[in-house]
Amino acid sequence: MELLIASAVGLMTAVGVYLILQERTFPIVVGLTLLSYAVNVFLFAMGRLVINQPPIISGADAYTDPLPQALVLTAIVISFGMTALIVVLALRGFLETENDNADIPGEDLASEAEGDK
Amino acid sequence: MLLTVVTLTPFLGAVIPLLAIRYGRNFCALATGAVTLTALVLLLSQAPGVYRGDVMTWSVPWLPMIGLSFSFFLDGLGLFFAALILGMGLLIILYARYYLSSDDPLGLFYFYLLLFQGAMVGIVLSDNILLLLVFWELTSLTSFLLIGYWSALPKSRQGARMALIVTGAGGLALIAGMLMLGHIAGSYEITEILQRGDVIRSSPLLLPTLLLILGGAFTKSAQFPFHFWLPHAMAAPTPVSAYLHSATMVKAGLFLMARLWPVFAPTEAWFLIVAPVGLITMLIGAWIALFKDDLKALLAFSTVSHLGLITMLFGLGTPLAAVAAVFHIINHATFKAALFMSAGIIDHEAGTRDIRRLGGLLTLMPITATLSIVAAASMAGIPLFNGFLSKEMMLEEAAHTVYAGVEWLFPVLVTIAALISAAYSFRFAISTFFAPPRDDYPHQPHDPPFGMWLPVAILVVPVLAIGILPAVTAGPIVEFTALAVVGEALPDYTLAIWHGLAPALFMSLIALSGGALLFAAYRYANALRLAFPRPDAKRIYDAVLSAVVNGARAIIETTHNGSLPRYAGIILSAIVAVGAVGFLNAPHEAGTRTIIPMSFPAGGAWIVLAAICITLLFWHRDRLLALILTSGVGLIVSLMFLQFSAPDLALTQISVDVVTTILLLLALNLLPKTAPTKTAMVGRLGRGGLAAVIGLGVGALAYAVMTRDFQTISDYHLAEAKPGGGGTNVVNVILVDFRGFDTFGEIIVLGIAAITIFALIDNAMRGAAARTLNSIRHSVQSKDAHPLILVVATRILLPLALTVAAFIFLRGHNEPGGGFIAGLIVAIALIMQYLASGYAWAAQRARIDSQAMIGAGIAIAGLAGLASLFFGWPFLTSTYTHVDLPLIGDIEIASAIAFDLGVFLTVVGVVMLSLAQISRVEERAEREPVLRGPMDVQLRQGRIVGSNGGGA
Amino acid sequence: MIVLACTVAVFAIGAAMLLNLYRLLVGPDTPTRVLALDTLVINAIALVVLIGIYYGTSIYFEAALLFAMVGFLTTVAYCKYILRGNVME
Amino acid sequence: MTNWIIAPAILPALTAAHLILAWRRDIRMQRIVSVAATLALVGIALFLYHLASDGEPRVYHVGAWPAPYGIVLVLDRLSATMLLLTAALALAVLVYAVAGWDARGRHFHALFQLQLLGLNGAFLTGDIFNLFVFFEVMLIASYGLMLHGGGARRLGAGFQYVAINLVASALFLIAIGLIYGVTGTLNMADLAVKVPKVVAGNEALLRTGALLLFLVFAIKAAFVPLHWWLPATYSAASAPVAALFAIMTKVGAYAIIRVYGTIFGADAGALAGVAVPWILPAALVTLLVGAVGLLASRTLLDLAAFNIVASMGTLLIAIGVFDVDGLTTALYYLVHSTLTGAALFLIVDLVATRRIDKGGALVPGHPISQTPILGALFLLTALAAVGLPPLSGFIGKLMVLEAAYESPQFRLIWLFVLVASLMMTIAFARAGSIVFWKTEGRMTGPKSANAPIPPIAVVALLVCGTALLSVFAGPAVEAFKATAEQALNPADYIDAVLGSPQNVMPSTGH
Amino acid sequence: MFKRFVPHPLLTLLIVAVWILLDGLSWGTVVLGVILGIAIPRLTSPYWPDRPHIGSPLTILEYAVIVLWDIVVANFQVAYLILFRRGDSLRSRFVTVPLDLRTPEAITALAGTITMTPGTVSADLSGDGRALLVHCLETHDAEETVATIKSRYETRLQRIFET
Amino acid sequence: MTGIGEFAIAALICLAAFFLFVGSLGLAKLPDLMSRLHGPTKATTLGIGSMLIASMLYFLLERGTLSLHELLITTFLFLTAPVTALMVAKAHIISDKGSRKALPPTGRKCSWAVIDGPQAERPAQD
Ligand code: NA
Ligand code: NA
């Protein structure tokens, strides 16, 4: 199992990173979503994998580590907020410039005269 | 104490002219003069003591950690320079009053001047060399302002910047040198350092230290090859040139050499470096001066030459050379300042400073002429004028100087230099005053007002006095000053006109007669000069500077090209590099934890995930598909959470994903649906490689950790959740209690995201964005916006969903669930309505102010946390109790639920606000009128009411 | 016996999911993919319930419940997108 | 008494909530409430600074759970200093913004308060995951502020800023995961206890975690080559926001001092000073890039932005030395560069808004109104930035050179520092003479009669701050020295956090 | 009085039931369920204007039983088709079902039923809501299919919703 | 604990598994989308249905606890499945020109909603 999860994390990370390295905003957003999946699973896995011992106190003799779960929950929520924001940001940037490149529209000062001479 | 006062007086007094100018230029000048005079009087009041031989010091710590202190000391050298600076200052103030025209801001000029004066005095009175550095930099700065005083003139601006940059660079070298000197000597106090000469001389760091300090001194005193800035600084108003560039600032370097003379002069390096540099400067300066047609330029290079002379004298390292140096400083200060002022007067009166366009001024302005001629004679080194005496001594010293085993080198070269300086002095005097008068002056030149030539006259007096009676007039000053420089008893010497038939006498005669001849043969000399290449320092400097700037731009603009892929690529590569180095440089052992056997569904899920990921890799340009695939990933991840005992995570992931998907869909509707393939194969391979490496790394780390056992603090959480936190769902108890502070921050993140989205969209309704929205052409496929069957279904689902939400919320503390998930479910339920019946219709019915909801949510969470303070417990301390209600029976109420309510409200508010905002944009982009009805097909009691185009 | 049944079921559902995956990736058109995703979710629900039976715990039911709601919403959203572009007009 | 430690977090949060709830549409009330709250924050920060100045760290157990199980806030000299600096800067910037910038978009004041919440939380927390959370609060608020006002360039830069920081956040989680996965704890003090005990077989993992965490802070601190987001972001942000951001890079510096002084400090056994060797080289390059960037500037905003990079370079050099003198210098320079960086952004804004046709472009333009005062302020700010006397920049430079003298590479450091300040001198001299001297045509900008005073006053105040920092360098450095000593000797910190819990409940029966 | 508190008794009942399904049967849950059962309909009523009045429970029960049975049958039919018939050999086609139903809820119910029962999926509604588009997986006689739909389901639904 | 009960549960589970598989098989196997729709919408619902009944029985007989969540899930699915199918069908009709041609007439003046959108009532043609 550990190998499955580790490889899954690696795979999601790789694809996420690859998408983040694109020029356009939308794939970058998708990439970031994938990356946060990967990272959440990674963080979750740091509590080790345990089957059928949910951290719900029920007189069972053992429970999985609840702390990483709480951390991942926070992480999920935060990355949700961030994703929402960056999606709108991408949209907004596109509306402003009519292109969805993830670069910065310069003020092109180069055209203007040189400095002190 | 008093020394500090002397130093600070000009600084504090600097504001006076700014205020005094209101009451007229004369008053302003008087006030400024008064400031300088005060300082001068205070200083001279100490003269007797100093000449009695006692050194007065005063010190308060400033920054002990680095040995910086406010410490001053006064000895012969300091007194001499300080007096020179303040005395000259007085004359300049007087002169400038008349020189500057009425539309020049005189107050500002005096303000700068006094600041400069203070800085100079500070340099010469500082005991702490770090303090000296402070003043040193201040002189560079104030001279920058003074040179740029006529900022309208390009020459002034460039001259000012050149001076600042060159002397600034020297200043930086000096900082390094001084710090090293301090570290070697173990003290930053000059008085101490002078005691530790031998320690310093024996230090391995001696040479770098010396070079760095000389770097400072040479730049300031315009020594070759840094001499080029000084003539350009002459763009400044003449009073500035006279003050900074002949009398004072350029002498700061000389002062430094004099100050540290006892430490460095005995070393071989000192002589080998300083003496030749001075000599070369002396020669080059003189040679260039000879061919300058601008009076001020001529004087400027002459100054360079004389500074070289003095530098050389210090460089020779013999006590008598030092005496000569001091003597020449006095003499040069007098006649050169006088000449600068006269040049200014001539410029003022004749409207030009070009020698070729001047002539016959002797008759037109006799007073000025007489004074100038006297000063020029001194500059030429004619007997009975003070310049002659110090030059004589210089020649005497040079006469028996052997450099690198060559006897003739110094004697010959200094004689040539003297010869040339005689020549340009003649040229200055004769072609200005004696040459046939010209008739093309803008207006008849005549002597200036009294106040303008008075300073010149005052300066010419010592020229003659010293020239005739040196021993009486200058003797004591020179002696005490030289004593302070050398630091030990001086060998016998006499300041006299006649030293008998010494070699110097003959060298002098050669110089004068040769000078006369050279002036006579000026035309041929000039031809000779023109025959050789003449490197223009200014052009080189400009070329270098613009090369630097352009180079910088090339670097920055190619690296910071705004390409996110590149930025991200570099950052990620750096991460990989550092991570790899970190991992490989430490021991690592494989884990020993027992592996969980693989199961079929897990394997299946893995295959699904892998397949989706790989597909995504190749088809991400079809954005809708990419989105669908991402939903698939989310599904698998949620299942994974379930498989490994994390129901809460699964619930959260599931509900978050759907909201994200809808957000992305809304955005995608306005964004381009596909992206062109423009990346080159290479680029794709590079990115793929980097991605693969990172993926491998993260996967490997995950595996490494998962396969080893560890001790964790969460046993405590498992143990305390029920008794301490009052809940059996440990994850939820951690979220709202153990680590409630995290959750508090988390909902605030959500809140901020929402109001940021709100702000972002809010201004999308205007300007460029609005134009884009209007230009978007939707190819709407179906005309059926609100399918009846969908509408009805969602109407039934809504109450059910809300019920579920209530359930999830209430049980959260004990079973999987909680405020966050409940909030998302409510949001989802509402979204269903939006989807089915349209945002407009649904929003009308949703009487929820989502922004208020967010605010309330955060407030409730915060206040719920604060409540515990009133019971004397820290923020977010929770409690719970069991109440036994009739019928219902025992139920447990944990105060954490209030906090969870805050979470709930925030979440609902955030989701609603975000979607609402994007919908606003979508509405704006709509082409055709959208039905505002709940369902497009409207059926009523057996009648069908068509309702197309019914806009709200 | 139940365990055996569960094992069989797990394999059957796993196979079903792989079939869904096939449709999801092969398509050909977007509605098909959406349908495939929807079916995948339904199988997931079954899997969750099955796990519940297998481990004899009811802790996972809310997950199934949520899957049911969310799966529906997602599918409808995608379809609405195909139909109208703007899913919330 | 110790309850006040939570105040810097709660006050801004509730203020923001109140602003969103009550005064969404009333900018006037927003201003009043926001300024009042920030004033109160300054007061609280002063009090906390006073509290911390006795040298004993104070611990606040949020939720009354004992450390390391709950989240603790720790008030020591370092955190108190950062809190005070932040509050003071915030007040100045806010006053500047109230002159009009805040009305150019929605929710400025709420975002501003939440930004403060994020900063304060980050400075106070003693738990690495909670640090992550407050980093996120700080960042997302900064996104909001940075995008405040809209505009194509701002949106473009904003997207990059957000994207890069999201990557950084992912890295942060991975690092935390690794550290937790090996040590099983999140509390800094507890980590400081457990890190030295880590078995050799786990060392590589922990070291990797530590270094990845360092990279997160390095990105925040704009270490070259992780700095890409900074110039564009800062030059695109509105002036007051950019000025406030002067503290953002310092958070990275703070975190480095905190984490690598406390958790991976001298007593951390095999992992002692794990990140330190990386700091100095990167710092030198950062300084160089900053200086080159200054030379390359085409606008006043570039100038201000790259000045931040350069000053971070210098600051990080001092941190790179990582001994008491080094950190003392670092703290001095941190305060200095924060004030200077902020002042520069504001004065640049004042100038650019007056140059109607040319704006911030470094090309000759009209003479501007109020040139004397603005010119003087620009000159002084430039002096501080370049490191010329009489302001704190010069002393800071001397301190850095002094601190580096003991280091084996002191020649290299000196070379970089001195050459860089020469380049900066050139850059600022060019800019200043173009903007203030090389002018033609009629005067533009509001007549000094009807120009609002507060903005100029704010800049003047910041400059005064650097002047005071210079004049009273002695006492200031004394305080910083004490701070540095405390930061480098975590024993007290650990005792305070893990030792006798003051306000913790008995383990059961809440 | 009762009407004012419980505007939609059926929905309230449903919610109480759901609540009990979720929370298990106890006095506490019943009370809480009732509270929700009253609160939620009030909250959601704006989203569901003019809810229909429902006919006698018996007819509903009868209908439910029929449909459930048909669903079971349908599943086996479809299973057979899928397993033992080559895809292209299926005679699948669209048919139009003209509607007499008027209430949206009724139409929805019919469409749902059709989809869940033998070999048919309702695919769309006519623009005026008077006809239903149905896809048959395997049919030889469209008219017959339509007829069964109308007789077996629509009439009953009319009795439930529109009398 | 009755063997019959256990057997029933096992049988239901297998039945569920069977239908789920068949449903997905149909999705994969059938030629066009409209036919594929039949598989999931029916088979899966019954599959889930019987799985849930199995689960209920399991908890009732094996655990002696009455677990009724399953009913709720079923309700949701039976409520949503037809709508899902309808929406997918509409999406298909829109995105696939061929099938749009193949649609039978509505027998009304207006065409299907997905194509023409809502229309005012007109008398039936006959
Ligand atoms: Na608590
Ligand atoms: Na950016």
Side-chain angles (χ1 to χ4, degrees), chain B residues 724 737-738 876-879, chain D residues 63-65 510:
Chain B
D737 201 337
F738 290 105
L876 276 178
T877 306
S878 71
T879 176
Chain D
W65 293 105
H510 255 57

Side-chain angles (χ1 to χ4, degrees), chain B residues 548, chain D residues 288 291-292 294-295 418-428:
Chain B
V548 168
Chain D
L288 193 62
V292 174
L294 279 163
L295 274 176
L418 294 173
V419 170
S421 43
L422 177 62
M423 292 159 92
M424 292 166 79
T425 314
I426 299 174
F428 276 98

Side-chain angles (χ1 to χ4, degrees), chain B residues 665-670 673 778-782 922 926, chain C residues 77-89:
Chain B
L665 271 177
L666 283 164
L668 184 55
N669 183 37
L670 296 176
K673 308 291 176 290
H778 274 310
S779 56
V780 173
Q781 305 285 1
S782 167
E922 301 268 359
E926 288 307 335
Chain C
Y78 280 122
C79 294
K80 190 97 192 285
Y81 179 83
I82 298 165
L83 285 168
R84 296 285 300 175
N86 176 1
V87 299
M88 293 215 318
E89 68 195 341

Side-chain angles (χ1 to χ4, degrees), chain E residues 8-125:
Chain E
H8 315 292
L10 197 74
L11 186 59
T12 308
L13 216 61
L14 180 65
I15 289 171
V16 176
V18 167
W19 187 256
I20 290 165
L21 291 186
L22 284 167
D23 218 7
L25 190 56
S26 83
W27 275 113
T29 48
V30 173
V31 172
L32 214 51
V34 171
I35 296 170
L36 290 169
I38 293 169
I40 291 179
R42 291 178 148 281
L43 278 173
T44 58
S45 55
Y47 290 101
W48 196 348
D50 46 67
R51 290 178 177 143
H53 64 296
I54 307 294
S56 71
L58 267 176
T59 48
I60 302 176
L61 193 66
E62 179 207 11
Y63 184 75
V65 171
I66 292 175
V67 171
L68 278 175
W69 172 250
D70 289 357
I71 290 176
V72 176
V73 176
N75 276 284
F76 281 99
Q77 285 187 354
V78 173
Y80 168 79
L81 291 175
I82 292 173
L83 288 171
F84 306 110
R85 288 281 295 275
R86 280 184 37 256
D88 45 18
S89 71
L90 290 170
R91 283 165 296 169
S92 58
R93 57 168 294 193
F94 282 105
V95 299
T96 307
V97 180
L99 293 177
D100 302 320
L101 288 172
R102 288 291 180 281
T103 352
E105 290 74 11
I107 295 177
T108 309
L110 180 61
T113 316
I114 291 173
T115 303
M116 304 307 267
T117 48
T120 51
V121 167
S122 37
D124 197 8
L125 201 61

Side-chain angles (χ1 to χ4, degrees), chain A residues 80, chain B residues 655-663 666 790 794 798 801-802 823-839 842-843 846 848 907-908 910-916 919, chain C residues 69-70 72-74 76-77 80 87-89, chain E residues 47:
Chain A
F80 164 63
Chain B
S655 37
V656 162
D657 281 347
V658 66
V659 179
T660 314
T661 307
I662 288 174
L663 273 170
L666 283 164
L790 174 63
T794 53
L798 178 63
L802 292 185
L824 279 175
I825 295 178
V826 169
I828 290 169
L830 291 171
I831 294 171
M832 284 186 188
Q833 305 308 307
Y834 288 21
L835 241 65
S837 303
Y839 171 75
I848 46 169
V907 171
V908 178
V910 165
V911 176
M912 286 301 117
L913 184 58
S914 315
L915 294 175
S919 301
Chain C
M69 283 172 65
V70 162
F72 167 71
L73 185 55
T74 315
V76 170
K80 190 97 192 285
V87 299
M88 293 215 318
E89 68 195 341
Chain E
Y47 290 101

